Amino acid sequence: MDNETAPIDMGSISLLIPPSRDGDPKARDVLFQELENYLSLVARSNLDPQMKPKAGVSDIVQESFLKIVQNFDSFRGETSGELKAWIKTIVKNEISGMRRSYKTGKRDVDREISMSPAHSTAMGVQPVDD
């Protein structure tokens, strides 16, 4: 079974929260490693299909992971469920921020059109070169 589909042992995650909060770097490393697949799953399931060409799952995971590491001291929960909810909120906020970024002006993904020959011809635009 690969790591992508392996279930997270939520009991071990709950046990890692207190020492991670107390500054134990090994506990924190293990905790973050255990949560990496969950983070990827949350990003994949919440990213709009129209955003995927602009912001991939790996972009969301990387930015969210950075925020989780930087702000872990502000996490006040005690259980794995509370940690998962906190992480989910961070991922959703990251996706919302990226969506806002791509909705402004020239970056608006809704303004994009296909460059396929059939679509270009229908719009009266001929490509200069095949």
Side-chain angles (χ1 to χ4, degrees):
M1 181 182 291
D2 63 17
N3 287 343
E4 188 90 327
T5 57
I8 298 173
D9 179 6
M10 298 316 286
S12 67
I13 288 178
S14 291
L15 293 174
L16 290 168
I17 293 172
S20 296
R21 182 177 287 127
D22 292 341
D24 181 341
K26 285 186 180 183
R28 207 175 254 205
D29 287 346
V30 172
L31 177 66
F32 292 151
Q33 281 180 328
E34 289 293 319
L35 293 170
E36 189 174 356
N37 289 336
Y38 176 72
L39 188 60
S40 182
L41 175 71
V42 171
R44 233 186 339 272
S45 63
N46 285 283
L47 187 60
D48 301 337
Q50 70 184 43
M51 287 294 297
K52 286 183 182 178
K54 295 292 186 179
V57 170
S58 62
D59 298 327
I60 302 295
V61 168
Q62 188 174 24
E63 291 299 320
S64 299
F65 202 79
L66 181 62
K67 286 182 174 62
I68 290 165
V69 170
Q70 290 173 336
N71 297 303
F72 188 74
D73 292 338
S74 68
F75 172 65
R76 298 291 173 234
E78 300 290 329
T79 68
S80 59
E82 291 169 324
L83 182 59
K84 285 174 62 178
W86 184 69
I87 288 170
K88 197 172 193 176
T89 300
I90 290 172
V91 172
K92 285 183 173 185
N93 286 340
E94 189 61 34
I95 291 171
S96 293
M98 285 188 170
R99 187 180 303 119
R100 277 190 303 277
S101 172
Y102 286 111
K103 285 282 186 183
T104 59
K106 293 179 185 177
R107 296 182 124 184
D108 187 349
V109 294
D110 292 334
R111 294 180 56 187
E112 293 182 4
I113 59 172
S114 172
M115 291 303 294
S116 69
H119 192 269
S120 297
T121 305
M123 293 190 61
V125 177
Q126 294 294 328
V128 175
D129 190 7
D130 290 336

